[in-house]
Amino acid sequence: MKKLNVFGIVIVALGAIEALLSLVVLPFCHSAGEVVMRCNSSSHVDVLLGLVVVAVGAVFVLEPKARGILSYVTALLGLAIALVPNLIVGVCANGHMHCSEIAAPALVVVGVAIALAGFASDVIPEFWNEIRNDVETV
């Protein structure tokens, strides 16, 4: 049981890190008057997805019966976070801008980490239970 709570805490932490990276740390372009930059929109979408990951992680900790589906929801959210800066919304077309060089790769790494944490939160406990059952039957 405690091992599953650790996964929930890791998911909450990764979601918070992702939201803070998008909101505060990473260099994204800002809107210039009426022109809305794609990287600015990408940043806002990633902040929203990061907050959703935090909420899913909190429910993961608080509601043990929903952990199976929440694991896969987290994995899908992580993949969405990784795809936002490259495929879904995108960043500046100029490859030398900070959002293209720094922000997009960082968000992809955090998104993949969230996806792996979500997937691991379902696979590792199942694998651990199989090993424990095999040892008990011997």
Side-chain angles (χ1 to χ4, degrees):
M1 183 66 109
K2 291 182 181 179
K3 291 178 183 174
L4 292 177
N5 283 338
V6 169
F7 282 115
I9 292 168
V10 167
I11 291 168
V12 168
L14 286 172
I17 288 169
E18 196 279 328
L20 287 174
L21 281 175
S22 294
L23 192 61
V24 179
V25 178
L26 294 176
F28 282 101
C29 303
H30 298 288
S31 302
E34 293 181 12
V35 177
V36 177
M37 304 294 287
R38 285 176 38 185
C39 49
N40 189 23
S41 299
S42 181
S43 172
H44 292 309
V45 170
D46 272 332
V47 168
L48 179 65
L49 288 174
L51 294 176
V52 171
V53 170
V54 169
V56 167
V59 174
F60 189 93
V61 171
L62 298 174
E63 188 59 46
K65 294 179 182 177
R67 288 182 177 153
I69 191 71
L70 292 177
S71 298
Y72 293 106
V73 168
T74 303
L76 289 174
L77 285 169
L79 290 176
I81 289 169
L83 293 176
V84 163
N86 292 323
L87 294 175
I88 297 174
V89 178
V91 291
C92 294
N94 185 352
H96 297 292
M97 297 295 287
H98 291 292
C99 55
S100 296
E101 290 181 341
I102 299 169
L107 291 177
V108 168
V109 168
V110 175
V112 169
I114 291 171
L116 290 175
F119 185 68
S121 67
D122 188 51
V123 172
I124 290 176
E126 292 289 328
F127 181 71
W128 184 255
N129 286 336
E130 284 183 27
I131 289 175
R132 190 170 32 191
N133 289 338
D134 287 344
V135 170
E136 289 175 359
T137 58
V138 173

